[in-house]
């Protein structure tokens, strides 16, 4: 029961952080793999299930706030479907040690990117005038979707942590980028869940799923409700520090164990 309690608490806390800031979902795989010692495929299956729930609830919230570009999300998602399938297949073909290494490295990169990323918030009129030519060509958006989804599905990093900074750097309003990133994470999660659950092997998977979904749902709803009362910038820095420390520790553990 202690393991299931940890799963519930981990999903609850990370769900709250996702609801508040749109990031930190990528911490789930590192908790499952690094701290609970679950197999990589099982960990990624549970993580993407949580990403699916968080993405649906979060995207709906941003849509209600009118921070959603469905045209951009559609083109991105057209590429994300085959990209996610590709990422899962690559993960299955490589060794578990290499999969862990890629996961820890990507999480480290994600933490560093949060600290280094500048505030890209702009008004809607500014973003419309400063959008990159890439966002004006559907084929480039589709290719971007393939690339980002493949990386996210391979490493278990979710979607917003990679998609949001890229869209913001290409001229998309930061809040719209978060909304699109959350919706896109649903598309990435669907084939990833199907792929990784095919290779899942741990016992009592139904209990892991139950505690994960309960924790994620309560967390994301709580985080969304209090999002306007918490200084997001400081929260993201806190998440980044925890992420960097955790990933460096896990990289060290992986090196010492080899």
């Amino acid at each position: 029961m202690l393991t299931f309690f940890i799963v519930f608490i981990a999903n609850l806390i990370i769900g709250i952080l996702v609801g508040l800031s749109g990031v930190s979902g990528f911490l789930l795989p590192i908790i499952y793999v690094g701290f609970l010692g679950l197999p990589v495929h099982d960990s990624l299956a549970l993580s993407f299930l949580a990403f699916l729930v968080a993405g649906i609830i979060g995207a709906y919230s941003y849509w209600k706030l009118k921070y959603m570009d469905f045209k951009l999300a559609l083109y991105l998602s057209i590429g994300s479907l085959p990209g996610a399938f590709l990422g899962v297949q690559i993960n299955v073909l490589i060794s578990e040690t290499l999969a862990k290494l890629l996961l820890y490295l990507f999480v480290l990169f994600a933490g560093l990117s949060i600290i280094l990323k500048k505030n890209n918030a702009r008004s809607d009129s500014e973003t419309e005038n400063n959008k990159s030519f890439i966002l004006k060509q559907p084929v480039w958006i589709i290719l971007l979707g393939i690339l980002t989804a493949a990386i996210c599905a391979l490493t278990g990093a979710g979607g917003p942590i990679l998609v949001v900074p890229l869209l913001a750097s290409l001229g998309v309003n930061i809040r719209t980028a978060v909304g699109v990133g959350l919706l896109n994470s649903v598309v990435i999660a669907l084939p990833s869940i199907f792929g990784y659950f095919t290779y899942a092997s741990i016992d009592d998977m139904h209990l892991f799923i139950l505690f994960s979904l309960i924790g994620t749902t309560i967390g994301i709803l709580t985080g969304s409700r209090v999002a306007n009362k918490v200084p997001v910038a400081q929260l993201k820095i806190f998440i980044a520090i925890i992420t960097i420390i955790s990933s460096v520790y896990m990289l060290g553990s992986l090196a010492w164990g080899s």
Side-chain angles (χ1 to χ4, degrees):
M1 286 304 298
L2 177 60
T3 298
F4 297 128
F5 178 73
I6 294 174
V7 169
F8 169 76
I9 294 298
N11 280 271
L12 175 67
I13 294 174
I14 292 175
I16 292 173
L17 296 177
V18 171
L20 288 170
S21 64
V23 300
S24 80
F26 54 87
L27 288 172
L28 265 183
I30 205 169
I31 292 173
Y32 286 140
V33 177
F35 292 100
L36 292 180
L38 299 181
V40 171
H41 296 155
D42 302 75
S43 300
L44 294 178
L46 290 168
S47 297
F48 277 107
L49 183 61
F51 299 158
L52 176 66
V53 175
I56 292 173
I57 298 173
Y60 177 72
S61 299
Y62 275 83
W63 171 73
K64 287 182 65 178
L65 294 171
K66 302 187 185 302
Y67 291 117
M68 183 63 68
D69 185 336
F70 283 111
K71 184 178 180 180
L72 174 59
L74 174 63
Y75 287 130
L76 199 63
S77 297
I78 290 173
S80 294
L81 276 175
F85 275 114
L86 176 63
V88 171
Q89 294 308 310
I90 293 175
N91 183 289
V92 170
L93 291 174
I94 62 180
S95 68
E96 184 163 318
T97 299
L98 181 56
K100 287 182 179 180
L101 176 62
L102 291 174
L103 170 62
Y104 299 156
L105 286 175
F106 192 89
V107 171
L108 175 60
F109 169 78
L112 291 172
S113 71
I114 295 174
I115 291 180
L116 297 176
K117 186 171 74 71
K118 296 179 180 179
N119 184 3
N120 289 312
R122 300 183 180 94
S123 68
D124 292 335
S125 59
E126 288 178 318
T127 55
E128 191 63 34
N129 293 329
N130 289 286
K131 281 186 178 179
S132 167
F133 77 95
I134 293 176
L135 298 180
K136 299 176 182 178
Q137 300 293 330
V139 65
W140 287 110
I141 301 176
I142 293 172
L143 289 175
L144 184 66
I146 294 174
L147 177 63
T148 54
I151 295 174
C152 290
L154 169 63
T155 61
I161 190 61
L162 183 59
V163 172
V164 172
L166 281 175
L167 292 181
S169 67
L170 292 173
V172 178
N173 177 278
I174 186 63
R175 293 183 178 87
T176 302
V178 172
V180 171
L182 286 168
L183 182 58
N184 184 242
S185 70
V186 175
V187 179
I188 295 173
L190 288 172
S192 300
I193 290 170
F194 175 79
Y196 286 123
F197 269 115
T198 302
Y199 299 95
S201 59
I202 59 176
D203 297 327
D204 298 324
M205 177 59 80
H206 63 288
L207 291 177
F208 279 98
I209 292 173
L210 177 63
F211 282 92
S212 171
L213 290 181
I214 294 175
T216 299
T217 302
I218 296 175
I220 192 72
L221 289 174
T222 302
S224 300
R225 284 180 175 272
V226 300
N228 294 329
K229 301 177 182 179
V230 178
V232 175
Q234 288 85 339
L235 180 64
K236 286 186 176 181
I237 294 300
F238 172 75
I239 294 170
I241 293 173
I242 296 299
T243 299
I244 293 170
I245 293 173
S246 299
S247 57
V248 169
Y249 173 79
M250 291 306 166
L251 283 168
S253 299
L254 192 64
W256 296 328
S258 60

